[in-house]
Amino acid sequence: MCRGDARDAGPPPGLGGWEAVVLAAVLAGASLLAVPSLHAQSDAEPSATSPAGETDSAALATLAAWADQVWLSLLDRDGAYYGRLAEEGIFQRFNPEMDHEYELDARLGLFDPGEDARWAELPNGFRVAGGSLNNPHILNVVDWRQETHVSGPVDLMARYRRERSLTAWRDYPWVGVRWRDALGTPWTVRVGLGVHFFKPSADVEVALARSWRDGEDRSWTLEVRLAALDAFNEAIFQGLGVRADDVHAHYDYAGAPLAARTTLRAAASRWRAELHAGSSRRSEVQVTFPATGRAPFTQFEQVAFLGALLQVTPLERVTLALYGTWARADIERRAPASGLGFTLREQTVTVAARARTRLNPLWAVETELARVRRPEWRTPGGGARREHRDREVFARAALVRYPEAGWTARLAYALLDRDAGYQAPWLTGRNQGLITEAGHRFRSGFEVTAGLRWDLDHFGRDRFEGGHLRLSAAW
């Protein structure tokens, strides 16, 4: 479990949730009033948006990255920071190595929702982000995806995800084959394999997907996935004759661990919507430790998630996105021999909004407001159930320059106000930051951005908060 009792109480609580909401609203209004009308772009730097007079329909946010992250926490339990069998749970959101600025550093130093939305549309690409966490450590994320035509309707697909943070320590390659218009139907079939260093942890996915348009020129995409988790566990230990004492921990499932996920997307000229949902079958696995003689236990696990997003363009230059997400992970460990059993439910609920106001084809003001809750319910073996509450408000406003090709820039203010409760008091606090970024987009699809973060809470004493770098390429 998280070792919050080993830490100091941390900084005092900051603003309440409603105070932060009011501050964010004032900030957004001030940003719009303070920015003068800017000159239209030159012919040398065409806009990434539609010409003047047309609707700004570029994606403002997506839930694809969030859903992929939850799905990966289920498929790649080995990649969690504390490992597959940690008492910290499946999501592992509380780490004593975090400080009260960790969440703000992760939000500002890695990819923002707009960058995630652009990435979600790319079939081929590469991106990397690194953000300074403290003196010796840097948060970093690497994504790579490639599709290669093999023959006829068959494509080879490959993906890779690397993550180094205080919640995950993961390297996850995935390879698959896609069959378009399978058997003369409008459906696409995909079969993929998640490759793990520990052979029994490999997972197999089968997916069906199709796209279509209705009579009002709306486009729709539906995808359904079914995954077999730890797909070769029984074959390796039973069929290949691998001995249990050859591994640190031996897993014996009572039934096949399965998970399913579905994604529905719709888009029209002035709106777009997403729906993501998934759940795993409640699995039962007996874990023994033949090599070390540790006491065995039986563990039950289940993950479920649901998210919805709606983006609308009510005015020619104004785009709004509203979204909410819910994710839950349950663990029940029965350990009668050691008395170290427990139950744990982790839950994360987010309600958020983003807005973009185009000042001209080059410049825009973007604002964001999110409310996050991270409750946990833990029952130690033979003990009483304890509930932990964690509440957070995040707000950001930015002046952004983002052409189709040319120099990019961002000046942003961000506020994170968090009350992390009794379990992680060192994460409680209010933190404000200023972000300055500059970069360049090339017509080839390559983009580089470098930025500096400034601490507004102690600007006169320790103003420099860290730097970050992002690279991306599309082809």
Side-chain angles (χ1 to χ4, degrees):
M1 60 183 296
C2 292
R3 292 167 286 277
D5 54 353
R7 292 284 173 149
D8 296 331
L15 290 175
W18 286 111
E19 292 175 281
V21 171
V22 172
L23 178 60
V26 172
L27 175 65
S31 299
L32 288 172
L33 294 175
V35 178
S37 178
L38 301 173
H39 294 295
Q41 65 178 353
S42 66
D43 294 336
E45 291 183 311
S47 168
T49 61
S50 301
E54 294 189 13
T55 301
D56 176 14
S57 59
L60 187 59
T62 184
L63 295 183
W66 165 82
D68 287 345
Q69 187 71 12
V70 179
W71 185 247
L72 195 54
S73 69
L74 173 62
L75 269 57
D76 185 28
R77 290 289 311 280
D78 297 341
Y81 186 85
Y82 286 109
R84 172 71 173 82
L85 299 175
E87 294 183 21
E88 286 80 2
I90 294 177
F91 295 155
Q92 301 187 10
R93 304 164 301 174
F94 306 113
N95 187 325
E97 297 299 320
M98 297 175 178
D99 61 23
H100 62 96
E101 294 182 332
Y102 174 83
E103 186 67 23
L104 188 63
D105 290 339
R107 285 180 177 269
L108 303 183
L110 300 178
F111 304 110
D112 70 20
E115 290 170 314
D116 284 337
R118 291 190 291 272
W119 173 255
E121 301 298 324
L122 298 177
N124 302 291
F126 170 83
R127 67 175 187 169
V128 56
S132 175
L133 179 60
N134 48 41
N135 287 336
H137 297 119
I138 182 169
L139 291 167
N140 60 90
V141 170
V142 177
D143 285 312
W144 170 74
R145 57 175 60 157
Q146 180 70 48
E147 298 181 4
T148 301
H149 178 65
V150 177
S151 177
V154 179
D155 302 317
L156 178 66
M157 308 174 70
R159 295 175 184 172
Y160 172 71
R161 171 79 170 185
R162 173 190 169 92
E163 190 175 354
R164 294 292 186 269
S165 70
L166 294 181
T167 59
W169 194 268
R170 150 178 307 126
D171 289 281
Y172 187 81
W174 180 94
V175 293
V177 175
R178 180 177 61 195
W179 186 9
R180 290 173 278 108
D181 301 326
L183 299 176
T185 71
W187 291 92
T188 294
V189 178
R190 190 182 70 225
V191 179
L193 173 69
V195 183
H196 295 250
F197 179 69
F198 186 55
K199 296 177 184 178
S201 295
D203 49 85
V204 175
E205 283 187 53
V206 178
L208 293 174
R210 64 165 299 185
S211 299
W212 70 96
R213 290 183 175 272
D214 62 21
E216 297 183 13
D217 200 32
R218 287 187 293 255
S219 62
W220 300 79
T221 301
L222 174 65
E223 182 184 63
V224 179
R225 303 190 207 178
L226 179 65
L229 314 179
D230 296 355
F232 306 108
N233 185 81
E234 298 302 313
I236 288 174
F237 288 110
Q238 305 298 330
L240 298 182
V242 176
R243 298 184 307 169
D245 56 5
D246 286 339
V247 295
H248 172 68
H250 175 257
Y251 304 93
D252 186 10
Y253 283 94
L258 302 174
R261 171 183 173 183
T262 184
T263 301
L264 177 64
R265 297 185 180 90
S269 60
R270 285 187 173 268
W271 63 269
R272 54 185 296 272
E274 298 179 11
L275 179 65
H276 303 261
S279 179
S280 65
R281 175 186 179 187
R282 179 175 165 86
S283 62
E284 177 184 350
V285 57
Q286 184 178 15
V287 185
T288 56
F289 305 89
T292 62
R294 283 179 53 190
F297 57 81
T298 300
Q299 186 152 303
F300 300 83
E301 302 170 341
Q302 187 173 26
V303 172
F305 62 93
L306 176 66
L309 176 146
L310 175 63
Q311 175 178 310
V312 295
T313 306
L315 301 174
E316 188 177 289
R317 293 174 177 263
V318 178
T319 304
L320 304 174
L322 303 174
Y323 54 95
T325 63
W326 168 86
R328 189 182 72 196
D330 290 303
I331 290 179
E332 179 185 356
R333 180 174 296 180
R334 298 176 185 175
S338 64
L340 298 178
F342 67 91
T343 64
L344 172 63
R345 168 167 288 183
E346 307 167 89
Q347 187 168 283
T348 303
V349 181
T350 301
V351 178
R354 279 177 56 83
R356 177 177 61 223
T357 302
R358 291 283 180 190
L359 305 176
N360 62 34
L362 270 181
W363 292 87
V365 171
E366 296 180 350
T367 55
E368 180 180 357
L369 181 63
R371 182 68 183 264
V372 183
R373 294 190 296 113
R374 302 182 186 88
E376 282 193 3
W377 296 267
R378 182 183 290 269
T379 305
R385 188 184 194 191
R386 295 183 297 171
E387 180 179 358
H388 171 254
R389 295 185 179 273
D390 180 325
R391 305 174 184 87
E392 172 189 303
V393 172
F394 173 75
R396 171 166 47 188
L399 175 64
V400 181
R401 186 181 196 270
Y402 198 73
E404 180 180 341
W407 292 101
T408 64
R410 183 189 304 267
L411 176 65
Y413 166 82
L415 164 72
L416 188 137
D417 186 19
R418 184 173 182 180
D419 180 359
Y422 76 90
Q423 185 170 319
W426 66 92
L427 299 179
T428 295
R430 185 189 67 182
N431 297 282
Q432 302 174 81
L434 181 70
I435 303 94
T436 53
E437 289 183 356
H440 197 277
R441 296 188 76 196
F442 296 85
R443 294 191 183 279
S444 63
F446 178 73
E447 181 175 350
V448 56
T449 301
L452 299 176
R453 306 192 302 277
W454 309 93
D455 189 346
L456 297 182
D457 300 305
H458 307 95
F459 192 76
R461 186 173 71 250
D462 299 313
R463 61 176 64 96
F464 181 64
E465 184 62 23
H468 54 266
L469 178 69
R470 297 192 296 275
L471 303 173
S472 65
W475 53 84

